[in-house]
Amino acid sequence: KGAFTGATQQHAGVFERADGGTLFLDEIGELPLELQVKLLRVLEEKLVLRVGGRAPSTVDARIVCATNRDLEKEVAAGKFRADLFWRLNVVRITLEPLRKRPEDLPALAARLLARHSAGLGRRPPSVSEEALKVMRSYSWPGNVRQLANALERALVLKSDDEAIALADLPPELFAPGGVAAPLAAKKTLGEMIAALDREQILLAMKRARGVKAQAAEAL
């Protein structure tokens, strides 16, 4: 209390809250060197000191980390501490990019559609075989995040609970002259602009949780 402006009560940090459990540190490769030193000290000594605290607290948590960087190369380049790397590198699980595991797409799509549909208060649709075929052949440079965005876009733009079809997928999923070409050729410029307007309005309404005034201001 009083350690910084607005501090009116004590707050336990993430290590304290994870005591006896698991702490997940995402994108560990982005951690600045000065914080890597502090993290290593906590892992070695199992002691943390709160902001404004006078005595350290003992913590014991399982640490799970994730990164999209090659940490061994980062160590060689002096961007990640070798001692912290070897302290964390106990059990390593390498997850292949989405393009190398297309068999995971149906299950991932179902999970993501269920999540997005719950936020919209709708029943999650399925994905047509034609759409799945295109999704399996795409390289997905943005991995699961890109897949999640593509499915959310399809869900927001659909006005019914029918299966996600080819026409609902983003255009970047199709190669030039591929499946999307005849679909796009059937639309006039005015229809394409109207569809884009509708897409932006629906996305703004979703972000504003249905409040029209907020959506209008954002637009």
Side-chain angles (χ1 to χ4, degrees):
K1 182 177 178 180
F4 53 89
T5 303
T8 58
Q9 58 186 0
Q10 288 188 344
H11 293 279
V14 292
F15 268 97
E16 282 191 83
R17 297 202 299 272
D19 187 29
T22 301
L23 177 61
F24 175 54
L25 302 176
D26 198 8
E27 300 295 354
I28 190 69
E30 311 300 324
L31 195 65
L33 285 168
E34 59 270 21
L35 291 182
Q36 292 179 28
V37 178
K38 295 184 178 183
L39 176 59
L40 179 62
R41 187 179 302 124
V42 173
L43 297 178
E44 293 289 352
E45 301 176 1
K46 297 186 177 182
L47 294 174
V48 294
L49 183 65
R50 287 182 181 174
V51 175
R54 297 180 180 179
S57 303
T58 302
V59 293
D60 186 12
R62 178 190 296 109
I63 306 300
V64 179
C65 302
T67 182
N68 61 0
R69 294 177 180 267
D70 186 332
L71 290 187
E72 290 183 272
K73 290 183 178 179
E74 296 290 296
V75 169
K79 297 179 180 179
F80 200 86
R81 292 182 61 94
D83 45 8
L84 177 59
F85 172 72
W86 293 114
R87 183 65 181 80
L88 293 172
N89 189 36
V90 181
V91 178
R92 185 192 302 196
I93 299 173
T94 301
L95 186 62
E96 295 285 356
L98 190 55
R99 66 179 178 275
K100 292 187 177 181
R101 45 191 177 98
E103 67 279 0
D104 288 351
L105 271 166
L108 283 170
R111 177 67 178 268
L112 292 168
L113 284 170
R115 180 193 300 173
H116 293 319
S117 298
L120 295 172
R122 294 170 56 180
R123 186 177 63 185
S126 58
V127 182
S128 70
E129 285 300 321
E130 294 82 2
L132 276 176
K133 183 178 179 180
V134 170
M135 290 163 63
R136 287 192 183 101
S137 63
Y138 184 62
S139 61
W140 297 106
N143 286 304
V144 178
R145 288 186 180 92
Q146 184 184 4
L147 174 63
N149 289 339
L151 292 173
E152 182 179 14
R153 173 188 183 276
L155 191 63
V156 169
L157 294 180
K158 286 183 73 66
S159 58
D160 51 47
D161 293 329
E162 294 182 1
I164 302 295
L166 284 177
D168 301 315
L169 298 179
E172 62 266 22
L173 268 65
F174 306 98
V179 182
L183 293 175
K186 294 179 181 178
K187 293 185 178 181
T188 66
L189 179 60
E191 290 171 337
M192 294 172 67
I193 293 175
L196 180 61
D197 284 344
R198 179 172 180 268
E199 177 178 345
Q200 293 304 311
I201 292 169
L202 287 172
L203 287 172
M205 284 291 290
K206 179 178 182 294
R207 293 183 181 124
R209 300 182 180 276
V211 181
K212 293 181 179 179
Q214 291 182 13
E217 184 177 354
L219 289 165

